[in-house]
């Protein structure tokens, strides 16, 4: 890793990043911007975010701490943190290519061959190559180990048959990280799995959009019918799919961090909710005069502050001795559940207006809160449900026995 | 949000964390804690002497008065480990008394008492009264001038460790102003202290009858700093109790985990049942939040505004998470959980005591709401 910067260098970089995001951040493009990469629904959203990511990358504020030889900036992670802070400060849009930059990229950088790094990394960073993730299957939910999509080796190719679901950006992606079954006879279900860096724009792969509970589209189901891919697409060796998938999930669940920069899910902005509460009425008075609402709102402030500071604390090993995996493993659970609760809570502020939805001129903030609440389930379900997350924390941070 | 604190540590804090972890674990095994429940004094005088020798009472006292010259941030790791091991001593109260002297004592008063405290003398505060209000400015006890001295009247309650303290600092109203009187315990008339039955069996508390007690004028803290003293004491108490409760929450979660990992029912280790696993994880998540808030409060301690927000957040979160973790621990221990032998009840009682002393989580939140929204 690059050397830790001295304070003056870092300050200069931070100021430049601040100035850049202040100048370049578009807050209102004239349509609703997604809060998470899982919500990208329309062409205009997709095109806007792809262009935004490219622009941030070219300015040097994405992948700043990734190796230079593959397209990164080659700087110490402190620089990237400074850039990400600037993005937050100016409320910049999210980074589009979450699967590529957040999960597949770190995996390839950690375990990929020189050739794979040369082939894939730069295209991820500049959003030329969008990535998606083929882990979940229609019948198996969080039981990833039970994946049934077949990959049969024929010569120097694999032939794929089966289906994946909840594929964010699946209809727009160039590559998919794919978990497939190469051996149906393996001694246990995990050992029969292999992991592929799978091209999406080939014969035999088709997608169908899924209408979400919000009424929008954001995920697809992906169908594989005799799709043939090169055996070179295998990643991590045949039979090692489970271990590759678990490594990927460590990045996805925030247990391991190789910070590419930016964010794929907007941070909670508690002040927005405080503003909403301040502008809401209850019995002819401001809502925040109501003692019950004040108490709840205060508790949420305590929760948000704790989660935000947890992120800082987890980088301080001297404050993490007791259960070092605790904070990293609980991060996804705590954060996504809080977003769900908080956005639901915000609906109650709106009184009669809680009845309106996106598209009606009477809706508060164009229906933003309703849409956010309904969308919040994508994060409490996707990447392992909160229930699965609790098992993970229980087993890996607290040492409780496995649930079978 | 501008008035929210950040998190960080000092080197001394980390060092003290290590020392305190080992000391409290070694000196306060639970058998000893239980044996002390029936002891009149309520703590081991030998350990109290060692606490003094380690310089822990001197931490937040300036060097000019024989102290170490650090701050409450460095007191936090000690209180946390004491709470974790249910190690009861007059440590917290003595530290608070020193903070009161620092906030409002005259030079002479500080010079008279702070070096003694630094060396290990116990002191305490007499702030609570029969009305049960958590507002420390709500004081009915009174003092009236009588020549060169002040005659005190009324009753103070929940005066912790009063029998061990050589100095008791009591709040009283004098000429319609909130004042603080330094009372030497040795000067109290016979029968002025009545031992109270309190929920936390590991602590000792007394009712103090001020009728017939008088102090010289020179034993009153600065008349102009009454408000400052109240604020300082309230925040310092919030921080110390948040630390103790956070340590306690850690202990009771670990205690519960031990049981969940060993107890079998229906041929399975009960910790494999999600009905027990998931709420335990929820309690653990709340505990980590408390710990984060605690270190944030220690770090933000000296900052105007932010310090109070951070301390109250820490106190609210610690009280809720300690109470909940101990409550569930009793439940998860089944029939044994209902017995006095189960350590979970020691923690549940201690959480109630802390809430009674500094104000529970809803009270802390009501104070926070004013700081955050108005």
């Amino acid at each position: 890793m690059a050397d830790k910067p001295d304070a003056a260098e870092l300050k200069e970089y931070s100021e430049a990043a601040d100035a850049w995001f202040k100048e370049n951040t578009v807050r209102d493009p004239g349509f609703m911007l997604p809060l998470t990469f899982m919500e990208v629904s329309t062409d205009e959203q997709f095109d806007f975010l792809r262009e935004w990511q490219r622009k941030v990358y070219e300015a040097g504020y994405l992948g700043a701490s990734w190796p230079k030889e593959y397209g990164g900036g080659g700087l110490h992670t402190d620089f990237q943190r400074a850039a990400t802070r600037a993005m937050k400060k100016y409320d910049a849009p999210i980074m589009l290519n979450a699967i590529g930059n957040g999960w597949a990229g770190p995996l390839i950088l950690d375990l990929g061959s020189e050739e794979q790094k040369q082939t894939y990394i730069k295209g991820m960073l500049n959003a030329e190559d969008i990535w998606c993730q083929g882990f979940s299957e229609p019948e198996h939910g969080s039981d990833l180990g039970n994946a049934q999509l077949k990959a049969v080796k024929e010569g120097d190719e694999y032939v794929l048959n089966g289906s994946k679901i909840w594929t964010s950006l699946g209809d727009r992606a160039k590559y998919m990280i794919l978990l497939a079954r190469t051996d149906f006879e393996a001694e246990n279900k995990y050992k029969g799995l292999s992991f592929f860096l799978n091209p999406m724009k080939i014969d035999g792969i088709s997608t169908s959009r899924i209408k979400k509970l919000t009424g929008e589209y954001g995920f697809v189901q992906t169908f594989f019918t005799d799709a043939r891919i090169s055996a070179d697409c295998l990643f991590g060796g045949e039979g090692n799919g489970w271990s590759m998938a678990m490594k990927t999930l460590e990045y996805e669940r925030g247990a391991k961090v190789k910070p590419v920069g930016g964010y794929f899910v907007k941070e909670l902005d508690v002040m927005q909710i405080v503003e909403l509460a301040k502008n809401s009425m209850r019995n002819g008075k401001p809502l925040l005069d109501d003692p019950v609402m004040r108490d709840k709102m205060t508790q949420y402030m305590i929760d948000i502050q704790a989660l935000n500071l947890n992120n800082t604390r987890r980088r301080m090993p001297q404050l993490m001795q007791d259960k070092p995996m605790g904070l990293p493993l609980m991060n996804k659970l705590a954060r996504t559940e809080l977003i769900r609760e908080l956005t639901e809570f915000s609906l109650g502020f709106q009184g009669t207006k809680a009845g309106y939805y996106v598209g009606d001129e009477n809706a508060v903030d164009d229906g933003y809160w309703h849409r956010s609440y309904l969308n919040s389930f994508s994060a409490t379900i996707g990447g392992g449900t909160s229930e699965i997350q609790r098992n993970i924390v229980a087993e890996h941070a607290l040492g409780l026995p496995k649930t079978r | 949000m501008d008035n929210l604190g950040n998190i960080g540590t000092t080197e001394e804090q980390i060092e003290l964390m290590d020392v305190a972890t080992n000391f409290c674990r070694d000196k306060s095994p639970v058998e000893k804690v239980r044996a002390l429940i029936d002891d009149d004094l309520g703590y081991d005088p030998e350990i109290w002497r060692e606490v003094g020798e380690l310089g822990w009472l001197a931490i937040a006292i300036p060097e000019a008065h024989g102290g170490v010259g650090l701050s409450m941030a460095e007191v936090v790791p000690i209180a946390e480990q004491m709470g974790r091991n249910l190690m009861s001593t007059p440590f917290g109260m003595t530290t608070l008394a020193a903070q009161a002297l620092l906030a409002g004592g005259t030079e002479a008063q500080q010079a008279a008492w702070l070096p003694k405290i630094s060396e290990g003398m116990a002191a305490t505060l007499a702030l609570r009264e029969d009305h049960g209000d958590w507002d420390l400015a709500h004081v009915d006890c009174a003092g009236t001038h009588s020549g060169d001295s002040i005659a005190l009247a009324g009753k103070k309650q929940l005066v912790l460790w009063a029998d061990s303290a050589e100095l008791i600092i009591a709040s009283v109203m004098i000429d319609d102003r909130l004042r603080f009187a330094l009372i030497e315990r040795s000067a109290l008339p016979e029968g002025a202290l009545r031992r109270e039955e309190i929920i936390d069996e590991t602590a000792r508390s007394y009712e103090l009858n001020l009728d017939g007690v008088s102090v010289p004028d020179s034993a009153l803290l600065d008349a102009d700093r009454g408000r400052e003293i109240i604020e300082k004491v309230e925040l310092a108490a919030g921080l110390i109790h948040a630390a103790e409760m956070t340590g306690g929450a850690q202990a009771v979660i670990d205690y519960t985990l031990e049981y969940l990992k060993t107890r079998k029912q229906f041929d399975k280790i009960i910790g494999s049942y999600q009905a027990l696993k998931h709420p335990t994880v929820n309690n653990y998540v709340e505990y980590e939040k408390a710990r984060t808030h605690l270190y944030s409060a220690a770090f933000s301690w000296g900052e105007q505004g932010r310090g109070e927000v951070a301390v109250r957040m820490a106190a609210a979160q610690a009280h809720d998470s300690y109470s909940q973790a101990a409550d569930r621990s009793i439940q998860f221990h089944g029939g044994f959980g209902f017995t006095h032998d189960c350590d979970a009840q020691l923690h549940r009682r201690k959480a109630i005591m802390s809430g009674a002393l500094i104000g529970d989580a809803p009270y802390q939140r009501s104070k926070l709401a004013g700081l955050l929204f108005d």
Side-chain angles (χ1 to χ4, degrees):
Chain A
M1 201 207 276
D3 291 341
K4 203 168 168 59
D6 65 42
E9 277 178 289
L10 192 59
K11 183 161 179 277
E12 193 183 330
Y13 181 93
S14 303
E15 284 170 0
D18 256 35
W20 193 89
F21 282 99
K22 187 176 182 186
E23 162 91 26
N24 289 284
T25 297
V26 179
R27 259 176 232 87
D28 182 15
F31 50 87
M32 203 179 271
L33 278 172
L35 298 176
T36 82
F37 72 97
M38 292 168 279
E39 288 169 35
V40 180
S41 204
T42 64
D43 286 344
E44 61 183 0
Q45 288 176 329
F46 178 82
D47 294 341
F48 175 89
L49 288 175
R50 185 181 204 169
E51 177 57 20
W52 170 243
Q53 184 182 321
R54 187 189 61 75
K55 214 170 154 181
V56 174
Y57 167 71
E58 284 176 357
Y61 300 125
L62 180 72
S65 62
W66 283 19
K68 216 174 179 117
E69 55 272 39
Y70 311 122
L75 300 171
H76 188 272
T77 46
D78 284 359
F79 287 103
Q80 184 61 64
R81 285 209 184 92
T84 301
R85 261 200 305 277
M87 285 182 222
K88 283 179 193 159
K89 183 168 166 188
Y90 292 100
D91 197 24
I94 55 164
M95 292 290 118
L96 174 69
N97 205 6
I99 307 287
N101 298 348
W103 322 178
L107 185 73
I108 292 169
L109 285 176
D110 277 351
L111 300 171
S113 65
E114 179 61 26
E115 192 188 345
Q116 284 163 333
K117 293 177 194 172
Q118 294 289 357
T119 308
Y120 298 115
I121 299 298
K122 188 168 179 188
M124 284 174 188
L125 288 173
N126 64 18
E128 186 63 31
D129 303 338
I130 302 300
W131 285 66
C132 65
Q133 182 180 36
F135 283 12
S136 296
E137 298 194 1
E139 297 300 324
H140 304 303
S142 289
D143 183 8
L144 274 190
N146 206 11
Q148 295 295 314
L149 186 135
K150 246 188 265 186
V152 178
K153 194 162 188 194
E154 285 183 14
D156 53 6
E157 286 184 330
Y158 282 92
V159 183
L160 309 176
N161 278 287
S163 177
K164 291 290 174 182
I165 197 165
W166 317 126
T167 326
S168 306
L169 300 172
D171 49 343
R172 305 175 194 265
K174 185 168 172 187
Y175 298 108
M176 167 188 269
I177 43 176
L178 172 68
L179 188 62
R181 191 160 296 279
T182 41
D183 183 358
F184 279 79
E185 312 292 316
E187 58 182 285
N188 66 50
K189 63 181 182 181
Y190 302 104
K191 290 194 171 167
L193 294 169
S194 295
F195 194 91
F196 296 91
L197 307 179
N198 172 65
M200 291 294 282
K201 309 290 182 195
I202 59 168
D203 289 344
I205 297 181
S206 63
T207 57
S208 135
R209 299 209 295 169
I210 296 168
K211 191 169 184 180
K212 298 190 292 182
L213 73 173
T214 62
E216 306 163 292
Y217 295 86
F219 301 106
V220 302
Q221 185 170 358
T222 309
F223 301 93
F224 296 77
T225 313
D226 292 329
R228 307 182 83 87
I229 59 171
S230 159
D232 293 343
C233 297
L234 182 68
F235 187 85
E238 205 171 285
N240 289 329
W242 181 249
S243 127
M244 293 302 120
M246 288 304 104
K247 287 197 163 62
T248 311
L249 288 176
E250 285 179 14
Y251 299 115
E252 174 169 358
R253 291 168 178 162
K256 242 177 133 173
V257 183
K258 201 171 191 76
V260 68
Y263 35 81
F264 311 123
V265 176
K266 271 265 179 91
E267 292 262 328
L268 279 174
D269 182 359
V270 65
M271 289 321 294
Q272 245 181 315
I273 294 181
V274 173
E275 275 309 301
L276 181 69
K278 281 187 171 161
N279 294 322
S280 302
M281 298 296 281
R282 181 69 48 93
N283 294 324
K285 286 186 241 157
L287 178 110
L288 276 176
D289 287 357
D290 178 312
V292 173
M293 297 306 260
R294 275 171 85 82
D295 183 63
K296 286 191 171 176
M297 192 69 231
T298 307
Q299 181 59 51
Y300 285 127
M301 301 283 286
I302 294 172
D303 292 338
I304 292 165
Q305 170 74 348
L307 295 191
N308 289 340
L309 292 180
N310 275 352
N311 277 340
T312 315
R313 190 182 135 209
R314 61 189 276 201
R315 292 200 298 273
M316 310 173 84
Q318 67 275 26
L319 296 184
M320 297 274 294
Q321 327 87 325
D322 183 47
K323 294 180 177 64
M325 286 314 289
L327 283 191
L329 289 175
M330 69 180 239
N331 186 41
K332 187 221 177 216
L333 169 70
R335 188 164 283 274
T336 60
E337 285 293 328
L338 179 59
I339 294 173
R340 180 182 59 73
E341 279 184 38
L342 197 53
T343 48
E344 184 197 16
F345 180 58
S346 71
L347 302 184
F349 296 178
Q350 299 174 31
T352 62
K353 301 266 183 169
Y356 291 109
Y357 193 51
V358 177
D360 194 278
E361 62 182 29
N362 292 329
V364 173
D365 294 337
D366 301 325
Y368 170 91
W369 301 102
H370 293 71
R371 186 168 156 273
S372 299
Y373 166 59
L374 293 176
N375 262 322
S376 71
F377 289 93
S378 66
T380 57
I381 297 171
T385 60
S386 295
E387 290 66 32
I388 293 290
Q389 298 302 320
R390 287 194 186 93
N391 286 350
I392 290 172
V393 174
E395 289 158 21
H396 298 284
L398 307 184
L400 288 173
K402 273 195 178 304
T403 296
R404 283 273 175 248
Chain B
M1 193 154 182
D2 287 348
N3 58 351
L4 296 183
N6 211 325
I7 189 168
T9 57
T10 63
E11 271 176 48
E12 293 87 353
Q13 191 185 357
I14 300 299
E15 272 172 38
L16 282 164
M17 199 179 280
D18 281 344
V19 177
T21 301
N22 295 328
F23 180 84
C24 297
R25 187 196 53 221
D26 296 345
K27 305 284 177 174
S28 186
V30 75
E31 309 80 65
K32 184 158 185 185
V33 171
R34 285 184 171 277
L36 287 167
I37 286 177
D38 299 320
D39 181 82
D40 272 347
L41 191 59
Y43 59 89
D44 178 347
E46 178 56 22
I47 286 176
W48 178 242
R49 194 182 57 76
E50 287 182 59
V51 165
E53 281 173 6
L54 283 162
W56 286 356
L57 293 165
I59 291 173
I61 293 175
E63 290 174 71
H65 294 301
V68 178
L70 296 171
S71 77
M72 288 298 294
E74 287 80 23
V75 173
V76 160
I78 293 167
E80 185 186 6
Q81 294 306 320
M82 286 182 168
R84 185 180 176 187
N85 292 280
L86 295 166
M87 180 190 262
S88 275
T89 69
F91 174 79
M93 291 314 297
T94 304
T95 301
L96 292 178
Q99 291 296 308
L101 279 166
L102 284 167
T106 62
E107 193 54 40
Q109 288 163 343
Q110 294 186 359
W113 293 107
L114 291 174
K116 290 186 185 171
I117 290 178
S118 294
E119 281 169 19
M121 182 199 91
T124 191
L125 297 170
L127 305 173
R128 285 126 194 138
E129 301 188 359
D130 195 44
H131 53 60
D133 195 342
W134 280 314
D135 179 359
L136 294 181
H138 184 171
V139 172
D140 293 331
C141 284
T144 32
H145 295 282
S146 155
D148 287 344
S149 66
I150 311 282
L152 305 177
K155 274 182 185 167
K156 288 290 175 181
Q157 297 177 348
L158 294 174
V159 186
L160 294 182
W161 307 107
D163 62 329
S164 300
E166 292 181 35
L167 174 68
I168 300 172
I169 305 178
S171 53
V172 286
M173 295 303 288
I174 301 175
D175 302 334
D176 293 329
R177 289 180 90 176
L178 179 61
R179 301 295 301 270
F180 290 84
L182 303 175
I183 304 168
E184 295 186 42
R185 185 177 49 91
S186 55
L188 287 178
E190 185 79 14
L193 291 173
R194 175 185 71 80
R195 182 163 160 192
E196 298 169 322
E197 281 298 326
I198 56 169
I199 183 109
D200 178 5
E201 295 174 301
T202 69
R204 294 292 172 268
S205 181
Y206 292 81
E207 186 176 71
L208 167 61
N209 188 349
L210 293 173
D211 296 339
V213 177
S214 58
V215 293
D217 277 347
S218 61
L220 292 179
L221 299 189
D222 192 330
D224 296 326
R225 285 191 278 169
R227 194 71 239 166
E228 238 174 286
I229 298 166
I230 285 281
E231 281 169 10
K232 184 89 168 271
V233 165
E234 193 172 353
L235 280 198
L239 187 63
I240 286 184
H241 282 278
E244 286 183 0
M245 290 191 282
T246 303
Q250 178 178 14
V252 77
I253 287 170
D254 285 342
Y255 179 73
T256 315
L257 284 171
E258 262 324 291
Y259 188 69
L260 296 180
K261 285 175 194 176
T262 46
R263 170 76 172 171
K264 274 192 176 182
Q265 287 275 271
F266 307 106
D267 295 329
K268 278 191 180 175
I269 300 282
I270 61 171
S272 69
Y273 293 110
Q274 289 182 335
L276 295 171
K277 215 175 207 181
H278 288 188
T280 301
V281 169
N282 292 347
N283 290 340
Y284 168 68
V285 168
E286 294 304 308
Y287 153 71
E288 288 289 9
K289 282 154 67 173
R291 200 160 175 217
T292 292
H293 274 301
L294 173 64
Y295 300 143
S296 168
F299 186 70
S300 310
W301 167 251
E303 290 181 63
Q304 185 71 30
R306 285 183 185 184
E308 182 174 359
V309 169
V311 167
R312 292 200 186 279
M313 283 192 169
Q317 182 67 28
H319 185 257
D320 267 347
S321 53
Y322 193 21
S323 302
Q324 180 68 6
D327 173 292
R328 291 297 81 193
S329 185
I330 293 171
Q331 175 70 19
F332 294 173
H333 278 83
F336 176 62
F338 194 68
T339 69
H340 194 265
D341 288 339
C342 178
D343 293 347
Q345 59 87 12
L346 298 175
H347 289 287
R348 187 65 196 93
R349 285 164 171 257
K350 196 167 184 70
I352 294 172
M353 189 74 216
S354 281
L357 289 171
I358 62 165
D360 63 4
Y363 177 74
Q364 299 297 338
R365 287 196 296 268
S366 74
K367 293 292 208 178
L368 271 168
L371 297 168
L372 294 170
F373 306 136
D374 300 337

